[in-house]
Structures are given as structure tokens and as C-alpha cells.
């Protein structure tokens, strides 16, 4: 995580080059994180843009020793969770069913990875957005519990427990849609190991 005091000072002074450099450095990781979180590339791009607008608006209200990357991920996470909560509310109000993966379209071969990704996304979609977010940050982005604690505003021990519970919930949600062989395959492909330790 970046805590570049000089860089934060330049951002707070509205240095255009500092903002360009920041966006060049973190735009791809933030967009990738949001894409995995919300499951829609176009929405992720919009949310990333909203994140950077918010960073620009709020940077002068921060302290110089701000953990910059954690702060940006917190803003992105908040936008992602708000989007997911609004989406769930709309689905609940309309009593829509989630998009179902058409299993007749699946064929053996490289496409199995695509099927697994779809099933993983569906399993994450059945989880609470906060649980899906900590899994994405930990397993998708490789953040430590301490780094996630800065993003979500919890203690690192609370994050560790939430990740452990979320892994269990993910396995249950994934297992509901797939036979046990595919569930084992997904755990391998999703990089969600047995809980131990960072």
C-alpha cells in the first residue's frame, strides 16, 4: 500500500501531473477489482471513474500521512457495494430471478474455464456484497488482512474471521449450483484455499 506523503501533498495541491500518474498507476487494478466485484465491465469502468472523481474532490480533506491506495480502494469498494445493494433491491422489488447459466451451452474443453467463471460469479452474487468484497480483495487482489482492514474499516482480526466465514459461504453457494466434482475444480481455479494464514 502506498503512503507517499509527498505524492499526497501534490494531490492535495491539485497537481494535474500527480493525478495523471496516480490514475495511470491504479486505474487498471481498481477497474479489475470492481469488475470482479460487480460482474460487469462497463459498470466497473463507470464506478472506477466515479472513484477517481471522488478522490479528486476529497483529497484535500485528508491528512498527509494518508494510506493512499487503501483509501482509494475504500472509495471503490463503497461504490461497488452501493451498486450491488441497489441491484439486489431492484431484483427483490421486481421479484426477478438472477440470470441463470444455461448449462446446455456448456461444452467440454477450454470453455469449461468460462463456465467456471460464470458459476463463480453467480456464487459471489448470492453472497452478501461485503463478503464478496473481502474475498475479491484477499484472493483476487492479494491484499493482506491488514491491508483489507484499512479498506473496509475493520480490525485485521475481524477481516480474517470474515474471510474465513466468506470462504465457507462461497463454497456453499458454489456447491448449490454444481456437482461436487465441479465444486472441487472451482476451488482450485478460484484460488480459494483452506483458511490459514496471511
Amino acid at each position: 500500500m502506498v503512503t507517499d506523503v509527498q505524492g499526497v501533498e501534490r494531490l492535495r495541491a491539485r497537481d494535474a501531473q500527480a493525478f495523471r500518474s496516480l490514475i495511470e498507476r491504479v486505474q487498471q487494478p481498481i477497474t479489475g477489482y470492481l469488475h470482479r466485484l460487480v460482474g460487469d465491465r462497463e459498470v466497473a469502468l463507470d464506478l472506477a471513474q466515479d472513484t477517481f472523481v471522488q478522490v479528486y474532490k476529497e483529497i484535500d480533506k485528508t491528512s498527509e500521512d494518508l494510506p493512499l491506495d487503501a483509501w482509494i480502494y475504500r472509495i471503490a469498494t463503497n461504490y461497488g457495494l452501493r451498486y450491488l445493494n441497489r441491484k439486489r433491491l431492484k431484483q427483490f422489488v421486481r421479484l426477478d430471478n438472477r440470470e441463470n447459466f444455461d448449462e446446455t451451452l456448456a461444452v467440454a474443453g477450454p470453455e469449461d474455464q468460462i463456465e467456471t467463471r460464470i458459476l463463480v460469479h453467480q456464487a459471489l452474487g448470492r453472497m452478501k456484497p461485503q463478503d464478496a468484497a473481502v474475498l475479491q480483495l484477499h484472493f483476487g487482489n492479494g491484499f493482506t488482512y491488514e491491508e483489507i482492514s484499512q479498506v473496509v474499516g475493520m480490525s485485521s482480526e475481524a477481516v480474517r474471521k470474515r474471510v474465513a466465514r466468506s470462504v465457507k459461504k462461497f463454497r456453499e453457494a458454489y456447491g448449490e449450483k454444481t456437482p461436487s466434482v465441479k465444486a472441487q475444480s472451482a476451488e482450485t481455479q478460484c484460488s480459494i484455499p483452506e483458511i490459514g494464514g496471511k
Side-chain angles (χ1 to χ4, degrees):
M1 293 272 171
V2 171
T3 56
D4 178 10
V5 173
Q6 188 178 25
V8 173
E9 284 178 9
R10 289 177 58 208
L11 291 169
R12 292 175 74 206
R14 304 289 188 207
D15 182 326
Q17 181 56 43
F19 272 102
R20 265 194 298 281
S21 297
L22 173 70
I23 290 171
E24 287 172 4
R25 181 174 64 78
V26 298
Q27 184 173 23
Q28 241 181 336
I30 290 286
T31 303
Y33 163 65
L34 286 167
H35 184 205
R36 289 187 302 275
L37 184 62
V38 302
D40 183 315
R41 178 108 177 118
E42 294 302 315
V43 170
L45 289 168
D46 289 344
L47 295 176
Q49 183 175 358
D50 292 344
T51 297
F52 291 117
V53 168
Q54 189 72 15
V55 167
Y56 184 81
K57 286 180 181 176
E58 302 294 326
I59 191 72
D60 60 339
K61 299 175 185 173
T62 63
S63 65
E64 292 176 2
D65 60 346
L66 172 74
L68 187 59
D69 285 11
W71 182 65
I72 294 169
Y73 271 92
R74 178 180 288 187
I75 293 170
T77 299
N78 288 341
Y79 275 113
L81 294 179
R82 272 188 292 228
Y83 169 81
L84 289 172
N85 286 330
R86 282 194 309 268
K87 183 178 172 186
R88 283 174 181 238
L89 181 61
K90 285 179 189 173
Q91 288 175 339
F92 177 75
V93 169
R94 290 189 317 229
L95 299 175
D96 283 347
N97 290 327
R98 282 179 172 59
E99 285 184 19
N100 291 321
F101 175 71
D102 184 353
E103 295 185 20
T104 62
L105 299 177
V107 294
E111 294 82 8
D112 286 342
Q113 284 187 333
I114 294 170
E115 178 185 358
T116 299
R117 282 189 193 146
I118 291 169
L119 294 172
V120 166
H121 176 67
Q122 288 177 342
L124 289 170
R126 287 193 295 280
M127 297 173 65
K128 289 182 181 176
Q130 296 83 351
D131 293 338
V134 296
L135 289 180
Q136 291 292 348
L137 287 168
H138 188 62
F139 296 108
N141 291 72
F143 282 25
T144 64
Y145 298 140
E146 181 61 36
E147 290 169 334
I148 296 170
S149 75
Q150 293 174 358
V151 172
V152 298
M154 313 169 106
S155 71
S156 56
E157 180 61 17
V159 168
R160 185 191 67 73
K161 289 177 182 176
R162 177 164 242 162
V163 168
R165 285 192 306 266
S166 298
V167 166
K168 184 178 178 188
K169 290 175 186 174
F170 170 82
R171 287 184 174 146
E172 290 168 1
Y174 190 86
E176 288 174 8
K177 283 291 241 188
T178 58
S180 60
V181 172
K182 280 191 180 175
Q184 291 171 352
S185 167
E187 288 176 14
T188 304
Q189 291 183 18
C190 300
S191 301
I192 298 185
E194 293 299 322
I195 295 301
K198 278 189 187 174

